[in-house]
Amino acid sequence: MPTRRLAAATLGVALTAVLALAGCGTGKNAVDQTAGGENRYVPGDGKIVQYEPGKRPAAPDMRGELLDGGSYDLAGHKGEVVVVNFWASWCAPCRAEAKDLESVYQATKPDKVSFVGVNIRDDRDKAKAFVRGRSTYPSLFDPAGRYSLAFTGVSIGTPCTLVIDRDGRIAAAFNKAVLSDELQPVVGRVAGENR
């Protein structure tokens, strides 16, 4: 009987660890899922990381269904700088940064820069309501958070913004709510490379 209790306790601890990791993606404290199944914002590490051109990790394949229908494939944007923003409707800092992201999107379009959002761990209707009037660039719908898991070696919180260079490599990661005066100079610098 004690052996069965020990095995059950060990299994319970292992299952709790797996569920905790699944709720956080690869980012530190990215998402806290409560017992009621709701998502709750827990801040990321707040770091801004910029990679030197020779030391940039490759961005993974990212293709799937857009929030409003249609499809997206990151590989189809090779030769462009792509800004990827991980967000959710339940994330207050995501609301705070939305205007800044849209501002940089509009300002950098002429430089062959595109933006894509990644809506994670969310309800489609709530996500659609969130973007209405906030952003004009597309967003992938990722209720399982699988895209954040694909970015190995990069901490992905909620929110998180990545700048991917024209060769499909991660040039910068903002693991926090981003401001336009932080993001635009980085995007401009990366857009000016290899021209």
Side-chain angles (χ1 to χ4, degrees):
M1 203 57 111
T3 305
R4 284 187 187 166
R5 284 189 199 145
L6 179 60
T10 303
L11 179 62
V13 168
L15 183 58
T16 301
V18 167
L19 291 173
L21 287 173
C24 292
T26 58
K28 181 181 178 187
N29 300 326
V31 179
D32 179 19
Q33 292 185 311
T34 62
E38 293 181 23
N39 293 316
R40 186 176 62 196
Y41 171 75
V42 178
D45 61 16
K47 292 181 181 174
I48 300 172
V49 179
Q50 296 186 53
Y51 298 92
E52 294 298 321
K55 298 180 180 177
R56 292 177 179 167
D61 289 338
M62 215 173 67
R63 67 176 147 248
E65 181 186 1
L66 292 170
L67 188 58
D68 288 326
S71 61
Y72 179 88
D73 187 351
L74 180 62
H77 294 269
K78 198 131 188 177
E80 298 176 19
V81 172
V82 180
V83 177
V84 181
N85 175 253
F86 292 84
W87 65 275
S89 66
W90 44 262
C91 165
C94 298
R95 282 190 292 279
E97 73 175 359
K99 183 177 178 181
D100 290 84
L101 286 161
E102 180 66 19
S103 171
V104 177
Y105 169 60
Q106 294 298 334
T108 58
K109 274 184 185 180
D111 299 321
K112 287 191 75 176
V113 175
S114 64
F115 276 54
V116 65
V118 180
N119 174 246
I120 62 168
R121 303 194 185 280
D122 215 340
D123 172 80
R124 187 183 295 267
D125 290 335
K126 289 177 183 174
K128 284 181 174 182
F130 177 92
V131 296
R132 202 171 298 120
R134 283 193 175 97
S135 67
T136 58
Y137 53 86
S139 281
L140 285 158
F141 183 57
D142 186 23
R146 66 186 174 96
Y147 296 116
S148 62
L149 294 173
F151 282 87
T152 57
V154 178
S155 181
I156 306 287
T158 309
C160 180
T161 301
L162 305 177
V163 180
I164 299 174
D165 69 16
R166 297 184 194 283
D167 296 319
R169 300 169 305 164
I170 301 166
F174 297 80
N175 201 14
K176 62 185 219 59
V178 71
L179 300 172
S180 58
D181 63 355
E182 296 171 319
L183 181 61
Q184 191 161 343
V186 174
V187 172
R189 180 180 51 75
V190 174
E193 296 172 351
N194 304 327
R195 288 200 117 186

